[in-house]
Structures are given as structure tokens and as C-alpha cells.
Amino acid sequence: MAPHATSPPPSEITRLPAPSRPAFSPSPPRLLIIGAGNRGNAYASAIQSSTNGLLVSIVEPIPVKRALIGRKFIWGTRDAEEGEEFSDWKDFVSWELERRKREKEGVKVVQGVDAVVICVQDRMHKEVVLGLAPLGLHIMCEKPLATSLDDCVEIYRAVSGASGEKKLFGIGHVLRYSPHNMLLRKLLVEERVIGDVMAVNHTEPVGWWHFTHSYVRGNWRKESTSAPSLLAKSCHDMDILLWLLCSPPPGSSKPPHLPSTITSSGSLQYFTKHRKPTQAGSATNCLSCPHESNCQFSAKRIYLGPQMQGRQAHFVSIVLPEIEDIVASNGKEAGEKALLAKLGEDYGSATPEGDVEKRNWFGRCVFESDNDVCDNQTVTMTWENDPIALEGESPLQALTGRGAKTATLHMVAFTHKICQRFTHIYGEYGEIFADGDKIEITDFGTGEKKVHWPYVPEGGGHGDGDEGLARQFVLAVDRVKSGGMAVNSAQKEYIGGTAEEIIRSHAAVFAAEEARRGKIVVDFGSWWEREVEGRLRT
């Protein structure tokens, strides 16, 4: 690992200012969120704190989750009113179609929504995106776009405008929208502070306890019910690499510099029955395990101990959504008792396998789970020289930004850092170390080091990326709704990413998975032509 500077005390750091909140229009965008889980709450908070839009409705089948997000962000202390809550997204579609019909007939009705944020389980994305199509609403969908390439292509067809009026479409690739990464791309691609890139090493440190929460005990533990962990966890890491190394700078008329090859290796190395401590015996739940007090992965220790580094309330609310109400009504001790009861829920040999598979067991032994996603994986992408000369350009200018290079992504569970990504970028004139907190540039010619300190919020999601994406998406909706801007212009100026970029980064993940499973090197150009273009032609 390349050496980098130790950060000075916070009092000596001068950071760039926070992005400003856009001014509200006379008729601000009205938004609905589908799914009141972790990501739904994150975007609800971002909409309320950082955008010029209004969250006016929530769709969620679990009443306690629906009520929590409603009280916090929509109706407050009063009762929910018509159009503010739905238990199923199909109910919302039916209601909205009827509302429009009555409005057309001259009946006074409540206002509708301008845009929808989709935060349902990954495998449901296609059904919801396509099901909303008759309403013609702007859509932001949480990542990944879908869990199969076929579904991604179907969504791409639906949102690209080929079959009707085009609407704004955003994807939850929040890393693009953090002040840190926006500055990194500006320095690297626009200002070219280290010249052409030669190589990149990018690490996604998932975190030892975070991986057990989400990918051993939680929703994303099985490929058959979710997706490979590279897609579920790190598709936006693949996206950020392609954004930095593939997408041309603003104003360029040149096409993207596409990777030549993709390969990958990885597996489920640790969280298997083979690693189960002998002292644990046949226990399937931490609270009934004789080894619990000595186990690093004890659910009791993780959810009630100090390991979560200030993130405890967030993850505990995922385990037990109603804990906030329990503590408010009956105190902290009652909350801990209810949490332990939830963690103690177990299954036995007589429990049908389907019943075990269809829910999360957050008190489950990590060595007895039905998880099968990788806990350690690398992806390597290579680019070949691909010069494109515009009129008047020299051969060297034609190669600028389009030279041979490599990029490696490492997604690893066994880290102390929790999703605090760090990246080394090696260029012809210098190198960059970026870690979400600072961007350090070393100049080979002078030996000088310069450190940039972008805005980093305390506790902000993905380094303010959640807030940044929400801000830009809602601003795009506002400009179309109140500013008369064309959809294509608003998509480009405010959201940035195109539907083609979205499917390209997802396709790179599917190509990497094909390479990992087959132990091969994928020729990305021919793979894209066969697997993506071929599907689009059918």
C-alpha cells in the first residue's frame, strides 16, 4: 500500500463547505417512497433535510414500519390522510389512476405525486418499475437495478424512452454524489492532476459485524433470494470505477473508454459450518449457545455491545422496528428485553425449510446460516489503448484518457472499517490516495503532497452521497415540473448518469460473476455484444 499522510487533528482541518439546499419552487416536487426499510428511511431523511421537495406518501406492507416513517417524515402527530399511506404499491397505482379519473371529471381531489423512490427488495425492482409505467412518473430506484441481466435489460427498455414519453430515471449509485467523489473525479478526469491513469486499487471494506448482519443473517445472504454480494453490496463500487475510468469528461464528444477484459475470483471463505467452534455444539442460536460469551459474532454482543461504533440504533431498528416506540413507552430496559426476545427466536428440525429461508434470523449462529454469498472477492478490469482523434488532434492527444490501464476492486468482509472505502490511483505524473475523508495527491516531479478536504457530514449516509443523490434527483424533477426544462437536459445536468451508464455498470458486475464462476477472463466487448446488445435486439 502506498504511504499517505496521517490526518491532522480535526481542529486544524479546513473543509470545503457543504452543498447548499436548493430553494423551494412555488409548487415543489411531491414524492412517494415504496419501501420503509433501511434505504427508504435514508432517502426519506435526505428528502426532508437536503432537497427542495416534499415527501407526501409511503408504501409499506408492515404497519409498524409504515407508521414510523409516516410520523417522522409525513403526517407527524396527526392521523394519516387519504393518499398518504398504502400497504401495497399496486394499491397506490389503482388509487392514483382513480384519482386522475376523478380529477378529469372535475371532482376536487388531493394532489398526486411527481416522482417515486423505489426501495423494495432487490428482486422486486423490475416488477415495481414496470408496474409504475402507466403513471408516467419520474423514478429513482435503489441499487442494484435488478438481480438478473434479463431484468436489467427490461428496465432499461422501459426507462430509456423507446416505448413512450421519457421520464427522469435515477439509480441508487450514491457514491457518485458524495462531495468527496465529485471532487475526486474533477481532479482526476477534468483537471488531470496526475495525467493518464495507469492503475487503480479500490477496496470496499464491508466490516466484520456488518457483513454478518446483512449477508449472513440478513436479507442479502442468499443468491437465490437476493443477488451475489458483488451486485448487492458493491455494484456502486464498480460504477464509481467506470465513472472515473470510462465515462468521458463533461463536454467531450468522445465515446466512453470501455474495458477490454474483466476477471474475478472469490468465494464464501469463512461463514460456513466448517468454521463452527467445537464448543458451540449443535446450537443454532446465539442466546442458547454455550460458546456465546466467548464468540466474536455473538448477536447479543453485537447488538447490545460497543462494536457498532455509534451505529447501534440504526441496526437495532432493523432487527426490531418497533423498539423506538417500546423505549419511548416503557423505557430502555423494556427495549433491551424486547430486543433479546427477538434475537432469541430460533428454529428447529421440524421447522419447514421454506419458513427458515423466507425470514431473517438476527440471533442465528453465523456458522449455521443458509448464506452462500461471497465474503471475499476481487475483480480486475483492463483497458487497452483506444485512441480517438478529433479534427486537429495529435496522436498523443487522441490517446489522452483512453490509454491502457487496470483497475482492481476488492470487496472484503473481514475489516474493522465499515464501508469506509479507500482508493489508490496511480498516474503518469503522480498518485492519489482517497479514503472518503480526504484526497491526497503526490506529484512525482516535485515530490510535493497536497491534501484536499471535501465536505464530510457527521453521520451522513455514504459521505453525503444519499443526500447528494436525493438533492440532485429532486432538483431535476423540480426543473422539469416548474422550470420547463426538457427531461434529457435535466437528466444530464442534475442527475448526470444515463440509462446506458446504469446498465453498463451492472453488466460489468454480471460479467465479473460469469468470470468468477467459470474461472475465466471475459472479453468485455464481445460479451457486451452477445449478452446485452443481443438481448436488446430480441
Side-chain angles (χ1 to χ4, degrees), residues 275-467:
R275 294 278 189 172
K276 187 176 183 179
T278 305
Q279 301 93 317
S282 61
T284 56
N285 184 276
C286 291
L287 273 64
S288 58
C289 177
H291 184 60
E292 181 274 323
S293 61
N294 297 310
C295 183
Q296 166 184 329
F297 302 103
S298 159
K300 181 178 179 181
R301 176 179 295 187
I302 288 174
Y303 293 108
L304 279 85
Q307 283 86 349
M308 289 194 173
Q309 308 161 34
R311 298 176 174 89
Q312 202 155 23
H314 169 75
F315 283 92
V316 165
S317 70
I318 295 173
V319 177
L320 187 66
E322 60 269 29
I323 193 166
E324 186 177 319
D325 287 344
I326 294 172
V327 172
S329 300
N330 301 300
K332 183 178 178 181
E333 186 176 336
E336 288 189 1
K337 184 178 179 181
L339 177 60
L340 286 171
K342 188 68 176 179
L343 294 176
E345 292 177 356
D346 201 2
Y347 54 88
S349 57
T351 310
E353 184 177 340
D355 290 349
V356 176
E357 186 180 83
K358 71 183 180 183
R359 59 159 290 186
N360 299 325
W361 306 82
F362 288 108
R364 194 181 209 174
C365 172
V366 296
F367 305 105
E368 288 282 353
S369 185
D370 55 353
N371 58 300
D372 60 13
V373 298
C374 291
D375 54 23
N376 189 21
Q377 185 170 358
T378 60
V379 178
T380 299
M381 295 183 283
T382 69
W383 284 257
E384 296 175 354
N385 287 333
D386 183 23
I388 294 180
L390 301 179
E391 185 176 354
E393 284 191 334
S394 68
L396 188 58
Q397 289 173 319
L399 193 60
T400 298
R402 304 185 67 83
K405 56 205 169 198
T406 63
T408 300
L409 162 65
H410 185 198
M411 179 197 70
V412 56
F414 313 97
T415 63
H416 175 70
K417 290 179 180 291
I418 308 295
C419 305
Q420 296 166 284
R421 297 159 172 85
F422 53 94
T423 309
H424 289 85
I425 306 174
Y426 305 98
E428 56 180 325
Y429 304 136
E431 65 182 56
I432 293 175
F433 171 76
D435 64 357
D437 182 57
K438 63 182 180 297
I439 300 170
E440 177 186 305
I441 304 169
T442 302
D443 187 303
F444 292 158
T446 64
E448 294 181 351
K449 289 187 177 181
K450 182 176 182 180
V451 180
H452 296 264
W453 298 96
Y455 170 69
V456 178
E458 185 175 344
H462 296 95
D464 203 48
D466 293 352
E467 292 77 6

